[in-house]
Amino acid sequence: MHSFLAGVVLLGVLVVVHELGHFAVAKLLGVRVEVFSVGFGPALLGIKRGETEYRLSLIPLGGYVRMLGETPWQGVERADKAVSFSHQALWKRVAIVAAGPLSNFVLAVLLLTFAFHGPRQELEPVVGTVLRGSAAEAAGIRSGDRLVQVGNVPTSTFGEVARQIRAYPDKSLPVVVQRPGPDGTPRRLHITATPTAREVVDPVTGKQRVGSLGLLHMVSRPRVWVTAGSIAAEAGLLSLDEIIQVDGIAVTSMMQLRAALADRADQNISLRIRRSDQSATVPSTAAQPDRDAGSRQVADQEQFTELGLVLPQAGTVPAAPRVEREIKRYAVTSQELQDVNLARQIQQTRAILARGGDQIRQQRGVMFAGDTIEHVEQGSWAAGLGLRRGDRVVAVAGRAAPHAFAVARELGEHDAGIHILGIVSDGSLIVAATRLGSAVVKTDLGPRQHAQTGLGIAWHQSYRPGAVRQRSVGLARALEDAAAHTGKLVYTTLTGLRLLVTGQAPVSQLAGPITIFSMAGEAARQGLMLYIFMMALISVNLGLLNVLPIPGLDGGHLLLFVLEAVRGRPLSLKWQMRVLQTGALVLLAVMAIALINDISRLLPPTGSG
């Protein structure tokens, strides 16, 4: 019911604005409007004012304005020809028809102006996290760096940084960062980085080659997962503990913690940790006694205990964990693993796991909690494989996946079938083979779906928001931003239409009223601003749809007017009838496909994951 009401309001507003465009210009130019209807079908309510009857009709999926003499074959009395649509000058008819779609574009700009005006929260161009093994890490970019210039373009928000990086796949990219010097004074450093090229599939624009440096605006909290039997476990550190000091120096990110552990590999380390009730119990022997323990209430009202312990030096453990020889299998036969490509992936995965074992030893059994599994879905491929809370996937298809984002990307970029995974489970290093299926992934808002290979796992949420700032946007700037954003929506929609027409995008991308109502309901649940953005998006789509040169739509009428201007006279009534009948068949076919797509989206997806 919530989605239905949200959809009715959204479509109602868009239809009223669209038809008001036709209505207002028709009235302005002296054309008689007989009916103004919101909705199709039988009239539920009606009231006549002057020459026009205003209706609310049964089917809330559109509306119409009916003008005197709207069709050339409609009989018009000689005395009424002055107020008949078909007897107006060509430019007047063009203006009346074009006013509807134009009103939708104007509405989108006004809605977005309202959304952009006033206080706005922006992400500052400050690096929160540099992902391990990334191009940014190789270039020397650090957490806390402020990116003031990327690709010779000044940047004031993290969104601008991301857009610049995407434009440089596998290309040298000059970056200027601002970083505190030894005395705390900010200094500028010139760095050259080469974004890694990635192929992404956009549901609208298709395949794109974009650059990625491996930067996150979010900050990786120094929340750890502890390997059983490790130095950290023996010292009394528990999984989901958060390190707040290392040898008396404050630690605010996992990157800082890793650096501290590496710098003091041959030393004992004094840690101050924050422990919540959610910390997992890790088996330990000779646990270090708690010191300076004390409870306090923090800002988010979660109860923590602060305590200190000593983490012995890395050299106290003689060797790194070993890679298990046996391959863990699920829905895969031994014969299938004889495939040359899979055998190569297994060999590469063993090498990745061996390096990971050395890393675990060097870090004394301390891992970033955000890269470990928090939840395994029942009945998923991960459950069948035996994955459990605290496990890490560190390799996919023979390629290293040093963080959770890389795991998700690697799985998402591969088709369903047999996958070779490298898994760290406590102190065990496991090569696993499993047959994964394709799961249908639907975006939060919108009908666009795509197949993605998935394990059925969720990672620990161990990131906190990065640096933001508030600024007030004036009306002029809000209007400028709204116009620019509307232009982007127009471009994206036209690109999607082009891909549909040329067959580069499947017709399954078409959405009908059921999906629109669902989108509207989801947007309304998430807040007024998102609902306004959704209304602007649908308004642009409605405006563009109506200017398509399909008979029966506004664009079809405009096409006939162009032919009339070229020929010097209108098409014959016979040909106009044929054109409109053809257009009606096309529209019915499109509506049928959209409705079938809507129904298919309501059905449960096939496959697990």
Side-chain angles (χ1 to χ4, degrees):
M1 180 59 72
H2 183 275
S3 292
F4 178 77
L5 292 176
V8 167
V9 171
L10 185 145
L11 283 182
V13 170
L14 300 187
V15 167
V16 167
V17 168
H18 182 93
E19 300 305 333
L20 271 177
H22 294 311
F23 176 84
V25 176
K27 284 286 194 180
L28 181 67
L29 297 178
V31 174
R32 181 186 299 170
V33 179
E34 297 179 328
V35 177
F36 184 107
S37 177
V38 177
F40 295 117
L44 298 176
L45 297 172
I47 185 170
K48 192 164 184 177
R49 288 287 184 270
E51 300 173 329
T52 306
E53 180 186 357
Y54 300 89
R55 295 177 184 172
L56 179 63
S57 299
L58 179 63
I59 305 172
L61 299 178
Y64 61 92
V65 167
R66 190 170 71 210
M67 295 170 282
L68 177 66
E70 188 171 337
T71 54
W73 51 86
Q74 181 183 356
V76 178
E77 298 292 336
R78 181 184 298 273
D80 292 330
K81 285 186 177 180
V83 293
S84 167
F85 174 80
S86 59
H87 291 84
Q88 301 300 312
L90 181 60
W91 73 266
K92 290 186 178 182
R93 284 177 280 148
V94 169
I96 292 169
V97 171
L102 183 61
S103 297
N104 287 120
F105 298 132
V106 172
L107 175 63
V109 172
L110 294 177
L111 288 170
L112 292 172
T113 300
F114 173 79
F116 291 149
H117 182 246
R120 182 192 300 182
Q121 190 177 80
E122 293 181 337
L123 305 182
E124 294 203 50
V126 177
V127 178
T129 300
V130 177
L131 295 176
R132 303 188 71 184
S134 65
E137 185 181 56
I141 299 175
R142 300 178 188 173
S143 174
D145 284 350
R146 176 178 289 271
L147 302 171
V148 296
Q149 188 171 299
V150 179
N152 299 320
V153 175
T155 50
S156 59
T157 67
F158 200 82
E160 293 172 354
V161 170
R163 283 191 291 273
Q164 280 295 103
I165 292 172
R166 287 172 65 88
Y168 283 82
D170 273 343
K171 297 177 183 176
S172 182
L173 177 66
V175 178
V176 179
V177 305
Q178 185 173 290
R179 180 185 300 168
D183 59 352
T185 304
R187 55 181 181 144
R188 291 197 170 192
L189 301 175
H190 293 262
I191 296 174
T192 300
T194 304
T196 304
R198 289 179 50 213
E199 189 176 79
V200 298
V201 180
D202 186 276
V204 173
T205 57
K207 290 184 178 179
Q208 294 181 340
R209 198 164 176 267
V210 300
S212 173
L213 280 180
L215 299 176
L216 298 180
H217 187 260
M218 301 178 296
V219 179
S220 56
R221 296 167 60 181
R223 180 181 287 176
V224 301
W225 194 270
V226 178
T227 304
S230 64
I231 296 175
E234 295 291 329
L237 199 63
L238 302 184
S239 292
L240 299 184
D241 280 348
E242 186 165 345
I243 313 300
I244 58 176
Q245 284 185 3
V246 175
D247 286 340
I249 300 173
V251 175
T252 59
S253 72
M254 192 65 198
M255 292 185 66
Q256 291 177 336
L257 177 59
R258 285 197 183 106
L261 291 174
D263 291 344
R264 299 167 175 82
D266 57 349
Q267 304 170 22
N268 292 351
I269 300 177
S270 295
L271 299 179
R272 192 170 187 83
I273 68 173
R274 182 178 293 157
R275 177 171 295 169
S276 75
D277 295 337
Q278 298 177 352
S279 294
T281 302
V282 178
S284 67
T285 59
Q288 189 77 15
D290 292 353
R291 293 179 298 181
D292 300 324
S295 298
R296 65 185 184 90
Q297 198 77 9
V298 293
D300 59 3
Q301 302 302 309
E302 186 176 356
Q303 187 70 35
F304 288 101
T305 299
E306 286 191 11
L307 60 147
L309 54 82
V310 174
L311 194 64
Q313 59 182 305
T316 57
V317 172
R322 285 188 164 189
V323 182
E324 295 186 358
R325 298 306 304 170
E326 182 180 353
I327 298 174
K328 196 169 190 175
R329 292 183 290 111
Y330 177 64
V332 179
T333 66
S334 300
Q335 289 76 13
E336 287 174 315
L337 292 182
Q338 303 306 312
D339 177 81
V340 174
N341 183 47
L342 294 181
R344 177 182 54 80
Q345 291 184 26
I346 290 170
Q347 184 178 4
Q348 292 170 336
T349 302
R350 290 188 186 281
I352 294 168
L353 284 170
R355 292 195 296 271
D358 285 331
Q359 197 172 70
I360 291 172
R361 181 184 65 83
Q362 291 166 6
Q363 294 181 188
R364 307 176 215 196
V366 173
M367 298 181 294
F368 176 44
D371 292 333
T372 61
I373 297 172
E374 180 180 32
H375 174 71
V376 177
E377 295 178 15
Q378 288 188 353
S380 66
W381 301 98
L385 194 58
L387 293 182
R388 57 185 181 173
R389 186 171 183 262
D391 287 353
R392 290 175 65 210
V393 179
V394 297
V396 178
R399 284 189 287 274
H403 45 79
F405 298 99
V407 176
R409 184 181 67 241
E410 289 288 341
L411 289 174
E413 291 177 355
H414 289 80
D415 296 329
I418 299 175
H419 284 61
I420 305 299
L421 307 174
I423 298 168
V424 177
S425 181
D426 281 335
S428 301
L429 308 179
I430 303 165
V431 178
T434 184
R435 190 183 303 277
L436 299 184
S438 291
V440 174
V441 177
K442 184 162 63 175
T443 57
D444 290 339
L445 293 172
R448 305 181 183 97
Q449 304 183 33
H450 62 282
Q452 176 174 301
T453 305
L455 273 172
I457 58 178
W459 283 274
H460 282 284
Q461 299 301 308
S462 296
Y463 291 89
R464 59 178 172 80
V468 297
R469 64 168 175 261
Q470 294 279 350
R471 75 180 179 97
S472 182
V473 179
L475 188 59
R477 176 59 189 273
L479 182 60
E480 180 184 341
D481 290 349
H485 193 77
T486 301
K488 291 177 184 177
L489 292 178
V490 170
Y491 173 77
T492 302
T493 305
L494 287 176
T495 302
L497 288 172
R498 176 180 61 79
L499 294 174
L500 279 171
V501 171
T502 59
Q504 298 177 61
V507 293
S508 60
Q509 300 294 333
L510 285 173
I514 297 175
T515 299
I516 292 174
F517 276 42
S518 175
M519 292 162 59
E522 181 62 29
R525 275 188 288 270
Q526 296 191 36
L528 177 62
M529 287 298 106
L530 196 57
Y531 188 68
I532 287 175
F533 273 95
M534 178 57 58
M535 188 177 288
L537 171 63
I538 303 299
S539 188
V540 168
N541 276 261
L542 181 61
L544 287 175
L545 177 66
N546 270 278
V547 296
L548 291 178
I550 299 175
L553 298 177
D554 294 334
H557 291 296
L558 293 173
L559 177 61
L560 291 177
F561 296 155
V562 170
L563 292 176
E564 180 180 340
V566 171
R567 298 176 75 245
R569 64 184 187 280
L571 291 177
S572 67
L573 293 180
K574 177 182 176 181
W575 274 104
Q576 288 191 48
M577 284 290 291
R578 287 182 178 178
V579 168
L580 288 174
Q581 288 169 352
T582 302
L585 291 175
V586 172
L587 288 176
L588 286 174
V590 171
M591 290 172 62
I593 293 172
L595 189 58
I596 291 171
N597 290 341
D598 282 357
I599 295 172
S600 69
R601 292 182 186 109
L602 296 176
L603 301 175
T606 57
S608 302

